Amino acid sequence: MPVSLYVDGSRWRQHLRAAAAAYPGIVPVAKGNGYGFTVGRLARRAQWLGADTLAVGTYAEVDDVRQRFSGDVLVMEPWRPSRPDIPYDSRLVHTVGRLEDLAALGDRGDHPRVVIEALTSMHRHGLSADALASVGRSPYGVRLEGHALHLPLGTGHVSEVEHWLARCPADRWYVSHLSDTELAMMRDVHRDIDVRPRVGTSLWLGDRGALDVRATVLDAHPVRRGERVGYRQRRLPRSGTVLVVSGGTAHGIGLQAPPAAATARQRAAAVAQGGLDAVGRALSPYVVDGRQRWFVEPPHMQVSMIFLPVGCAVPRVGDEVELQVRFTTTAFDAIHIS
Ligand SMILES: *Cc1c(COP(=O)(O)O)cnc(C)c1O
């Protein structure tokens, strides 16, 4: 009995087209769990969208997209000499984050295609401005496709972008996490530069209204206050129904990504919404009769037990209930695109 993702196909496709139009030169990003859709499915969608380049997160993902997407594949994980040698591939574009790696790729003799990542205020991967400026436009032994800027979330990137463009001239810049306005400004000020936005979330998940996640009701048991249930034989504080639903740790249910909340207040709100209450109960992502319901105990591998108090309308076995998930941490059993 599956955890299913239902996609309103025409609405989703309409959004994808609109997003592609809003980001000229878009490089769709397909990585990880494919934002819930799987990397392979996103590769086919990128082909359908007419993108000329698709970005993947790691070398391991290249095989998932090669047969489904006919354009260039940009690997965003920086190339390292320790990785197993891959034969030259005219469609593969490497990302380089250190001068010594650039030199090592250049020494290979087959002129691999590379994008050089700048070490932005993210401090994840990349060359310093001095190092990148020293590389110039035609580094030894490689075919330089452009430079890349991976910026933090939010806005206020303009001065950082300008700093890099002034210090390190390049014909093409791949950019991540610039706002629409920042992209428009960058294009306007630098008409001679090919600006290529790398976009995942706001492309694939940009219209949540087109996406509906449902779990299946597997069983429903009336219970009395004080009865013990579950692996942990906890006593129920109230009478009602224990609902057994599909979805467990294997689907990523109950495994929240760490909250990104920056302030104490945001953290408190996150706890109230999805975390634990004072007695250690956790609010589940299952919505029944209009409300998110409490877990009876932590989710099992493939099912969860949730509690419905007396008065709550109890769904029937086989019915589907709404599930609020974080798409990047969820593995769906079935994906239906209408
Ligand atoms: C994942 C990733 C992106 C896409 O990020 P979204 O927030 O999903 O759009 C862009 N650039 C890099 C380097 C990434 O790792």
Side-chain angles (χ1 to χ4, degrees), residues 13-35:
R13 287 187 290 269
Q14 194 179 347
H15 161 75
L16 296 180
R17 281 208 197 87
Y23 295 103
I26 190 171
V27 176
V29 173
K31 64 182 181 187
N33 71 341
Y35 294 82

Side-chain angles (χ1 to χ4, degrees), residues 105-168:
L105 275 171
D107 283 343
R108 271 178 23 171
D110 56 1
H111 291 263
R113 301 171 69 188
V114 303
V115 164
I116 308 181
E117 192 79 36
L119 185 66
T120 66
S121 52
M122 277 284 292
H123 285 90
R124 195 161 86 174
H125 308 295
L127 269 60
S128 69
D130 284 344
L132 189 54
S134 77
V135 165
R137 286 177 188 254
S138 47
Y140 162 77
V142 299
R143 192 168 131 200
L144 182 60
E145 298 290 328
H147 294 342
L149 288 174
H150 182 205
L151 294 153
L153 298 177
T155 53
H157 302 120
V158 172
S159 59
E160 184 165 8
V161 169
E162 290 306 323
H163 165 77
W164 283 101
L165 268 57
R167 285 293 313 280
C168 314

Side-chain angles (χ1 to χ4, degrees), residues 199-220:
V199 187
T201 307
S202 57
L203 176 64
W204 310 119
L205 301 174
D207 183 4
R208 293 294 172 104
L211 312 174
D212 188 19
V213 178
R214 306 234 148 223
T216 313
V217 175
L218 306 171
D219 248 316

Side-chain angles (χ1 to χ4, degrees), residues 221-225 227-229 236 238-242 307-308 310:
H221 308 292
V223 286
R224 285 184 319 277
R225 179 183 163 178
E227 244 183 294
R228 290 178 187 276
V229 299
L236 291 165
R238 294 163 74 190
S239 297
T241 303
V242 167
F307 181 72
L308 306 181
V310 170

Side-chain angles (χ1 to χ4, degrees), residues 209 260 336:
H336 306 279

